[in-house]
Amino acid sequence: MIIRNANATFNRFDGSGPRQVTTDVDVGMPLSSAAAILTGFNVSFSPNDGDHHLGNLDVRLDAVVVGNLVRVTSTFGLRDWSGSWDDRYEGQIFFAVVGE
């Protein structure tokens, strides 16, 4: 079993969501299977964008083995109760890749 820690950063953004970031984690050897496990996250509405109440938080991970790499797609979205993605938000998702 191989375990590697990694993260995905989502810079300040508004206007749509959820967004995706792909991170390639090199495990140094071919794997037959792998999974990405959420270990934590730090998300927020961007500073100076007013007071917001949490309406929807979307944090997901998907992992695919590509040779010696595990390609992890992180999905992140944050919005208030307005029903639209009109507020600036940002965050970071932390995960571990486990494979064999």
Side-chain angles (χ1 to χ4, degrees):
M1 181 182 309
I2 294 179
I3 301 173
R4 298 281 190 273
N5 291 312
N7 64 73
T9 299
F10 293 83
N11 295 322
R12 185 177 298 163
F13 188 78
D14 67 2
S16 70
R19 301 181 287 153
Q20 292 185 327
V21 168
T22 300
T23 306
D24 287 337
V25 179
D26 188 350
V27 295
M29 65 175 49
L31 298 174
S32 59
S33 64
I37 301 167
L38 181 68
T39 60
F41 57 86
N42 182 11
V43 300
S44 66
F45 290 103
S46 298
N48 303 321
D49 198 30
D51 183 26
H52 300 285
H53 299 283
L54 177 62
N56 183 6
L57 173 62
D58 187 349
V59 175
R60 289 178 275 156
L61 297 169
D62 184 51
V64 177
V65 176
V66 182
N68 289 356
L69 301 175
V70 178
R71 182 161 290 147
V72 178
T73 301
S74 304
T75 302
F76 166 57
L78 177 66
R79 66 174 175 80
D80 60 12
W81 286 107
S82 71
S84 65
W85 302 94
D86 60 337
D87 301 304
R88 289 178 292 190
Y89 63 97
E90 56 195 290
Q92 194 169 22
I93 298 173
F94 303 94
F95 57 89
V97 170
V98 179
E100 59 181 6

